[in-house]
């Protein structure tokens, strides 16, 4: 069965600095999707970035980028020029392209941004 | 763009009462999901559906029921509410039309007293 692991329960970063959140996953599939979601105190789940496994190029969205290492089954999120509004829980998620179409979420990393 | 709409946003139930959380999506997604999130925890899948008329259990289905009579709607029924069901409930949907990205509603905060 697929699993997603976020080994950092909590991280802190100074405003304007860069931080990297880690995510590893376990799968025997060759094609799948990976996602990072942000959950601010309002609890709304907001898509941050998305990666398709067949694409070697790392996805980027403005200040957010990923380091996708398929062989190592690693999918880390880098936040550049951190802002106070980046403070939130961040969840890594996996979805296979076949089978039951369920999404598997990690346990989350709480990011604190220090002024 | 409405996306995924959940109602109600907040509800207080007494032990033993029943209620239905409504969920509707307007993205023509085949797949719909119900998750719960307890304080400080991650998401746990309650039920999911791969299309109208087809539903299946997730990790924590006990105490809940679902139905999917249309593509758009996926209500979650809580039977005989218990304090352990105090949680935030998220409805979500996904489909090929949105690149198989899962989109969430804003959540329903349920307290059972």
């Amino acid at each position: 069965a697929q699993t997603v692991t976020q080994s950092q329960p909590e991280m802190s970063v100074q405003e304007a600095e860069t931080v990297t959140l880690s995510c590893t996953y376990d799968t025997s599939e060759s094609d799948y999707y990976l996602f990072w979601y942000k959950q601010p105190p309002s609890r709304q789940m907001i898509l941050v970035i998305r990666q398709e496994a067949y694409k070697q190029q790392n996805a980027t969205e403005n200040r957010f980028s990923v380091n996708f290492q398929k062989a190592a089954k690693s999918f880390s999120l880098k936040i550049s020029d951190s802002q106070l509004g980046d403070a939130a829980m961040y969840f890594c998620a996996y979805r296979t392209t076949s089978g039951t179409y369920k999404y598997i979420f990690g346990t989350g990393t709480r990011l604190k941004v220090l002024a | 763009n409405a996306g995924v709409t959940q109602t109600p946003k907040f509800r207080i139930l007494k032990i033993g009462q029943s209620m239905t959380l409504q969920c509707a999506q307007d993205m023509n997604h085949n797949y719909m999901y119900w998750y719960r999130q307890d304080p400080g925890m991650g998401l746990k899948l309650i039920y999911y559906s791969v299309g109208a008329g087809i539903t299946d259990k997730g990790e924590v289905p006990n105490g809940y029921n679902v139905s999917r009579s249309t593509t758009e709607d996926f209500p979650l029924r809580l039977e005989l509410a218990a304090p352990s069901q105090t949680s935030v409930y998220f409805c979500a949907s996904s489909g090929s039309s949105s690149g198989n990205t899962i989109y969430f509603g804003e959540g329903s905060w349920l307290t059972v007293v």
Side-chain angles (χ1 to χ4, degrees):
Chain A
Q2 297 93 351
T3 59
V4 174
T5 302
Q6 293 180 250
S7 58
Q8 306 153 317
E10 190 170 294
M11 295 279 286
S12 296
V13 62
Q14 289 290 141
E15 199 175 3
E17 297 294 309
T18 296
V19 65
T20 299
L21 308 183
S22 300
C23 173
T24 58
Y25 57 95
D26 187 23
T27 184
S28 58
E29 303 281 338
S30 60
D31 198 14
Y32 45 86
Y33 302 95
L34 296 165
F35 309 87
W36 278 99
Y37 283 86
K38 171 185 178 181
Q39 188 180 47
S42 68
R43 294 285 196 113
Q44 187 172 0
M45 293 287 284
I46 302 166
L47 176 68
V48 175
I49 203 162
R50 172 180 180 274
Q51 177 82 40
E52 296 174 40
Y54 71 88
K55 292 185 178 178
Q56 293 186 341
Q57 186 173 5
N58 290 324
T60 63
E61 286 290 341
N62 301 314
R63 297 182 297 107
F64 298 87
S65 62
V66 297
N67 184 6
F68 173 46
Q69 301 288 330
K70 191 173 184 178
K73 297 179 183 176
S74 172
F75 183 61
S76 59
L77 175 69
K78 185 172 84 170
I79 306 174
S80 304
D81 185 25
S82 296
Q83 300 175 0
L84 294 176
D86 294 334
M89 281 289 285
Y90 286 82
F91 291 97
C92 178
Y94 165 99
R95 205 214 88 164
T96 182
T97 57
S98 63
T100 59
Y101 307 103
K102 288 190 286 188
Y103 292 76
I104 300 169
F105 288 84
T107 51
T109 296
R110 181 171 301 282
L111 178 66
K112 295 184 177 181
V113 181
L114 308 174
Chain B
N1 293 336
V4 180
T5 304
Q6 292 181 235
T7 56
K9 192 169 179 65
F10 300 97
R11 183 73 186 268
I12 298 175
L13 274 182
K14 294 185 178 179
I15 294 172
Q17 287 185 322
S18 299
M19 74 161 296
T20 299
L21 298 176
Q22 301 291 343
C23 176
Q25 54 92 7
D26 62 359
M27 296 175 280
N28 199 32
H29 285 167
N30 286 334
Y31 312 114
M32 295 189 75
Y33 313 83
W34 275 105
Y35 291 90
R36 61 176 285 175
Q37 185 180 31
D38 298 333
M41 305 294 284
L43 297 168
K44 293 182 179 179
L45 182 63
I46 305 171
Y47 271 95
Y48 68 101
S49 169
V50 300
I54 306 170
T55 63
D56 206 350
K57 297 177 180 179
E59 304 169 70
V60 290
N62 292 343
Y64 307 94
N65 278 301
V66 294
S67 60
R68 182 103 181 265
S69 57
T70 67
T71 299
E72 294 78 18
D73 301 301
F74 190 43
L76 176 71
R77 177 97 178 145
L78 280 73
E79 304 283 1
L80 299 174
S84 61
Q85 293 178 303
T86 294
S87 192
V88 181
Y89 291 83
F90 290 96
C91 180
S93 72
S94 70
S96 56
S97 63
S98 60
N100 294 305
T101 298
I102 186 170
Y103 289 94
F104 289 84
E106 293 185 343
S108 297
W109 299 62
L110 176 66
T111 302
V112 181
V113 296

